[in-house]
Amino acid sequence: MSTTENGAAEVLPPRDVPLGGPRAMTVRRTLPQRGRTLIGAWCFVDHYGPDDVATTGGMDVAPHPHIGLQTVSWLFSGEIEHRDSLGVHAFVRPGELNLMTAGHGIAHSETSTAATTVLHGVQLWVALPDAHRHTARDFHHHVPAPVPLPGGGEARVFLGTLAGDTSPVPTFTPLLGAELTLPAGATTTLDVDPTFEHGLLVDQGDVHFAGTPLHPADLGHLPPGRTTLTLTNTSPTPARLILLGGPPFGEDIVMWWNFIGRTGEEIVRARLDWEKGARFGEVQGYPGDRLPAPELPNVTLKARGNHD
C-alpha cells in the first residue's frame, strides 16, 4: 500500500488469491488489506479475468455459507449460474447486478456456464451494520441503463446515485457502486457526496484518479471531503473502472473465510453451524458436495476497522 501527498489517492495494489476450494481459480484481491479494511461498507474486492475457461476451467464454487454481509456480483464477460438456500436460481450476466443478502445466514453456489468462453468480472462484499446484520436472507437483480458522463464515456449505476441515475436496489448503509467506461484520452468530473469515501478499481486502462496514476488491477482510495472526483484515461484505448463509495463504516468487523461478525466467538459459532448442517439452509441443484469449512487459526480472531 502507498499513500501520496497533497490529498492524492492512496493506492492499494492487488494480491493473487485462490478462490473456491479444491477447484480454485485465481483472483486479484485489493480489499481488505492490512492497512485498510473497508471503503464505506465495502469490505471485499475480488477482480478476476479475462480467463479463457477452456484453459482455466472457469468458476466452480460449491455451496458455501455467509453471514453478516451482502455479495455483489458484476461481470464484464461470461455468465455465472447462482443457486442459493433462499431458493433463488439466477444468472449473472454482463451489466446486470445480482445482490444477495446473507444476514443471519445463507448458502450459495457459483458456477460459470457452458456458454462461457471468457470469464471476467468482480465479486464484492458489503458489511452489514450491526443493527441489520442478522436480517433475513434476500436477493435482488437489477439491470442499470447506461448514462452519459461529462467529457465522454458512460456509467452503469448498480447501487446508489451517480451522474443523474439512481439504482432502485435497497441497501442498509448509503453506498455507491458503478461501472464507468472512458474513451482514450477522456477526462470526466463527477459530482459526489462529500460524506463518502471512494474507491476506484481499474479493470482496463491507465487512469489518473484525483491526479494519482492507477494501473490495471489497482484500487485507489480517497477519504471523505470531496464534492467532485476527476478521472482521466491516459491510455490510448478505452478504460473500464468500478467506482465504489460510502460514508466511513465506523464499526470494527471480524472477517474470516466467508463470515463477517463482531467477535471471534461469533465466527466460531457460525463455522460450527455450517459443519452441523444448521442455520444456512440447503442449496438445491448443485451437482456436487458443499465446501467444508477450513480449520480455524490457532490465534484469537480480532476485530479490525479503519481508524484514519
Side-chain angles (χ1 to χ4, degrees):
M1 180 180 66
S2 64
T3 306
T4 51
E5 301 296 330
N6 301 318
E10 172 188 26
V11 181
L12 305 172
R15 66 188 188 280
D16 288 346
V17 176
L19 176 72
R23 296 181 289 269
M25 62 179 285
T26 298
V27 300
R28 298 175 294 277
R29 184 164 298 165
T30 45
L31 202 68
Q33 299 206 10
R34 184 175 299 276
R36 181 153 303 280
T37 303
L38 302 116
I39 296 177
W42 298 100
C43 61
F44 184 89
V45 175
D46 273 0
H47 178 212
Y48 54 88
D51 285 333
D52 178 352
V53 301
T55 301
T56 65
M59 180 181 290
D60 186 359
V61 186
H64 58 281
H66 290 288
I67 64 168
L69 59 86
Q70 294 176 296
T71 64
V72 174
S73 300
W74 186 262
L75 283 178
F76 306 127
S77 66
E79 182 181 63
I80 295 172
E81 185 174 20
H82 164 99
R83 298 176 184 269
D84 66 37
S85 56
L86 186 63
V88 174
H89 179 208
F91 291 88
V92 186
R93 298 185 175 100
E96 301 184 6
L97 170 72
N98 277 11
L99 181 147
M100 182 184 75
T101 300
H104 183 64
I106 198 169
H108 73 135
S109 64
E110 301 160 287
T111 309
S112 51
T113 65
T116 298
T117 56
V118 176
L119 189 62
H120 188 186
V122 292
Q123 181 68 51
L124 314 167
W125 291 0
V126 176
L128 292 174
D130 189 62
H132 299 286
R133 64 193 181 92
H134 298 296
T135 190
R137 57 188 71 147
D138 201 0
F139 186 89
H140 289 272
H141 177 80
H142 173 54
V143 183
V147 294
L149 294 177
E154 60 185 26
R156 287 174 170 81
V157 183
F158 49 84
L159 289 176
T161 297
L162 186 74
D165 191 39
T166 297
S167 167
V169 178
T171 60
F172 292 90
T173 56
L175 288 173
L176 171 62
E179 177 188 313
L180 312 179
T181 55
L182 289 179
T187 293
T188 189
T189 297
L190 306 170
D191 293 327
V192 294
D193 189 327
T195 68
F196 281 24
E197 56 182 333
H198 291 90
L200 186 74
L201 176 70
V202 180
D203 175 57
Q204 295 177 353
D206 294 306
V207 175
H208 280 194
F209 180 42
T212 301
L214 300 177
H215 307 294
D218 283 344
L219 177 65
H221 168 260
L222 286 170
R226 294 173 181 264
T227 58
T228 61
L229 296 177
T230 298
L231 314 177
T232 299
N233 178 10
T234 60
S235 50
T237 56
R240 182 162 55 200
L241 317 161
I242 295 290
L243 180 63
L244 306 174
F249 190 61
E251 299 179 24
D252 287 356
I253 60 175
V254 179
M255 294 183 67
W256 179 81
W257 194 36
N258 302 308
F259 302 142
I260 294 183
R262 296 302 184 275
T263 65
E265 291 76 14
E266 183 182 354
I267 301 298
V268 171
R269 286 195 302 272
R271 180 190 181 278
L272 183 60
D273 285 344
W274 176 248
E275 292 296 279
K276 292 192 304 184
R279 177 175 175 177
F280 294 97
E282 297 292 331
V283 177
Q284 301 295 327
Y286 177 82
D289 297 330
R290 65 184 196 158
L291 283 180
E295 293 298 321
L296 285 160
N298 291 320
V299 295
T300 301
L301 296 170
K302 294 182 179 180
R304 295 175 57 191
N306 296 332
H307 302 284
D308 294 340

